[in-house]
Amino acid sequence: MYAFNEILQKIEQEIAQLQFPHPPKSLYDPIEYILSLGGKRIRPALVLMACNLYKEDVEDAVKPALGLEVFHNFTLLHDDLMDEADMRRNKPTVHKVWNANTAILSGDAMLIAAYQLIGETKSESLKEILNLFTVTALEICGGQQYDMEFESRTDVTEEEYIEMIRLKTAVLIACALKMGAIAGNASKAEAEALYQYGINIGLAFQLQDDLLDVYGDTATFGKNIGGDILCNKKTFMLINALRRASDAQKAELENWISKKTFDPAEKIAAVTDIYSQLHLKELSEDKIHIYYEQAMKCLASLSVAPERLNILKEVSARLMNRQS
Amino acid sequence: MYAFNEILQKIEQEIAQLQFPHPPKSLYDPIEYILSLGGKRIRPALVLMACNLYKEDVEDAVKPALGLEVFHNFTLLHDDLMDEADMRRNKPTVHKVWNANTAILSGDAMLIAAYQLIGETKSESLKEILNLFTVTALEICGGQQYDMEFESRTDVTEEEYIEMIRLKTAVLIACALKMGAIAGNASKAEAEALYQYGINIGLAFQLQDDLLDVYGDTATFGKNIGGDILCNKKTFMLINALRRASDAQKAELENWISKKTFDPAEKIAAVTDIYSQLHLKELSEDKIHIYYEQAMKCLASLSVAPERLNILKEVSARLMNRQS
């Protein structure tokens, strides 16, 4: 059985070897650029790990794993363009280094390149893996659509928010695990349990990300604290703050939300203070804990020797304290 | 064997029945909009026709045919955004009806939906059809990349231009024919001959399109005459005009190309006049004739009863006089 660092090493090697041999080279430069920026490689790692639960040889899972990583980076490329984000992993985004049209077209080529890798799955599992990938990819587009629509809405419910992050974040993690299970010839029940593990750990991860955006430490979080607050993102925190606030707190929150000009540090401090008064840190932590425990239950339900599950438990822990 | 209008009818029925059941509906509205604008449906028709050369029952070719039509409309959606085109088939383009982000994201979903249809190909031919589709899709992205790069270049050669239109236009027509052949269980040699027919008829079609942009009749051409001249598009005509022009003609051409403000009708008339002096209409027609004859030779090489080829000859003729 592979160790965590062996899996990551294998993936980095495979990514470094990815080739886009067709001209024009200029179409593929942005693809190589965004793939070279690194990232946790958590999705391809999960494909190989899930496969490795059932089979010592994970070769059949390598192409689908790479396909998912290329796809994930494609979504970042197009999302950064749509969100007008200037930086990604401390480097300028593709539409900043090149331009919007390059980001659109090279992004499209990247989505096709992801399908090319998925298409190299061995014939027996091709149809199932291809279908899982397509359904997941459409769900992720749906999640991004909701995310953009929520920007101009003020009545987003907690339920809608959870559904949005399920689509935007959790289904790809779940898909990675299920793909690995399929490539490893696991039973349908095992593949489904891994999928549900992925959904729950994905939701826990995203809620944790939202929490760290408010209460995290800049050095370890890797993004600036308060980004969600500054752009009035309807996170679990803001939705619950608006719901639980007293009239005075609500008026203050709405004042900050509607302000066009403000001192960023002042807004972050004021909104965070309301969150703290409303004990939203604890509320979030409770919610995260529920999803995390649900994820662990799904893992425990697998018909795999308990010691083989340690690697997924390690991933779960790494995901949650955001070190990986 | 199906008649031309039966094939078109079948395709329109299938397109009308396409469903995108996953929420959010707002993600799929632009997809339904662009598919409802019509168009010649020539690519899906070619898939069914090619299949029908070898098999009476074309059901196995329907999903790949729909996949290609959805893909083709996806390329129009993203190309219109990149080219800042306001109108498509006399209706406002998707980024005009909605906005740029919707065009990006719904376009992405449309590319995935195309793969979903391709993925419904029956298992025996799935791997081959999927791979053909992916290679073709990457080539088309390459063609669009060259097309955009040529805008800022003044030294584009005829060879480079032909390669660009091969990638941007011809390979999808060729892919449609080859897909149909594969779905019809034709031999490799037959599928390849149909592919080459598609490349040649595709090149002839695009060169004809360029010619009609200068010498066509507004009523039947369906676009405004002179569009390529106004935006200095490096077509076969302009490339050859710059190569064949006398010093005086070249100076006049370059003057029109570099002018930032001008009377459109005056520019079109002046450039067309130089084209006529240089006999570029005849030069274009000769080139078109060569590709057309080459296409007919590919058709004649098929091991199919000659009368079964009439439908493809009819398509070829329709494509060339642009009535379809």
Side-chain angles (χ1 to χ4, degrees), chain A residues 7 47 62 67 75 87 137 139 146 175 186 217 245 267 309-310:
Chain A
I7 296 242
V47 179
V62 169
T75 65
M87 303 292 280
E139 286 178 331
Y146 281 128
C175 167
D217 176 59
K267 177 169 176 179
L309 294 175
N310 288 339

Side-chain angles (χ1 to χ4, degrees), chain A residues 59-128:
Chain A
E59 278 315 307
D60 289 343
V62 169
K63 296 291 184 185
L66 291 172
L68 279 201
E69 182 64 10
V70 171
F71 173 79
H72 173 60
N73 280 272
F74 145 75
T75 65
L76 300 180
L77 201 169
H78 271 191
D79 284 5
D80 283 343
L81 175 63
M82 289 184 266
D83 301 343
E84 296 176 27
D86 293 352
M87 303 292 280
R88 164 71 58 189
R89 295 175 179 138
N90 292 317
K91 299 272 181 166
T93 47
V94 166
H95 64 277
K96 284 285 158 186
V97 177
W98 287 272
N99 53 52
N101 279 358
T102 300
I104 295 170
L105 187 63
S106 289
D108 292 345
M110 200 167 179
L111 173 53
I112 299 164
Y115 265 106
Q116 189 164 41
L117 287 159
I118 299 285
E120 290 176 39
T121 305
K122 61 170 185 171
S123 298
E124 305 97 275
S125 38
L126 175 61
K127 201 140 195 168
E128 195 176 357

Side-chain angles (χ1 to χ4, degrees), chain A residues 21-42:
Chain A
H22 301 287
K25 191 176 168 303
S26 49
L27 179 65
Y28 298 97
D29 286 342
I31 301 179
E32 291 175 356
Y33 172 77
I34 194 168
L35 284 172
S36 76
L37 298 183
K40 297 188 295 290
R41 313 296 193 199
I42 197 76

Side-chain angles (χ1 to χ4, degrees), chain B residues 67-168:
Chain B
L68 279 202
E69 183 64 10
V70 171
F71 174 78
H72 173 59
N73 281 273
F74 145 75
T75 65
L76 300 180
L77 201 169
H78 271 191
D79 284 5
D80 283 343
L81 175 63
M82 290 185 265
D83 301 344
E84 296 176 28
D86 293 353
M87 302 292 280
R88 162 72 57 189
R89 295 174 180 140
N90 293 318
K91 299 271 180 164
T93 47
V94 166
H95 64 278
K96 285 284 158 186
V97 177
W98 287 272
N99 53 50
N101 279 358
T102 301
I104 294 170
L105 187 62
S106 290
D108 292 346
M110 200 167 181
L111 173 52
I112 298 164
Y115 265 106
Q116 188 164 42
L117 288 160
I118 298 284
E120 291 177 37
T121 305
K122 63 171 185 170
S123 297
E124 304 97 275
S125 39
L126 175 61
K127 199 138 196 169
E128 195 177 358
I129 283 184
L130 184 64
N131 188 47
L132 171 61
F133 177 65
T134 291
V135 169
T136 304
L138 286 177
E139 286 178 331
I140 290 165
C141 289
Q144 171 69 2
Q145 176 76 11
Y146 280 129
D147 199 11
M148 295 196 306
E149 286 177 5
F150 288 180
E151 279 172 31
S152 54
R153 279 180 52 192
T154 52
D155 60 348
V156 180
T157 65
E158 182 182 321
E159 206 177 18
E160 287 180 305
Y161 178 71
I162 297 290
E163 175 63 3
M164 186 275 280
I165 62 173
R166 185 183 75 82
L167 293 169
K168 192 165 169 173

Side-chain angles (χ1 to χ4, degrees), chain A residues 207-249:
Chain A
L207 288 169
Q208 173 95 339
D209 202 67
D210 295 352
L211 184 65
L212 289 176
D213 191 85
V214 181
Y215 291 104
D217 176 59
T218 314
T220 55
F221 185 50
K223 295 189 229 175
N224 287 330
I225 297 301
D228 291 346
I229 290 175
L230 292 179
C231 70
N232 304 321
K233 194 168 164 71
K234 278 86 186 178
T235 62
F236 179 84
M237 313 277 282
L238 180 54
I239 291 165
N240 276 289
L242 287 166
R243 197 165 65 176
R244 289 158 177 261
S246 66
D247 288 350
Q249 287 168 326

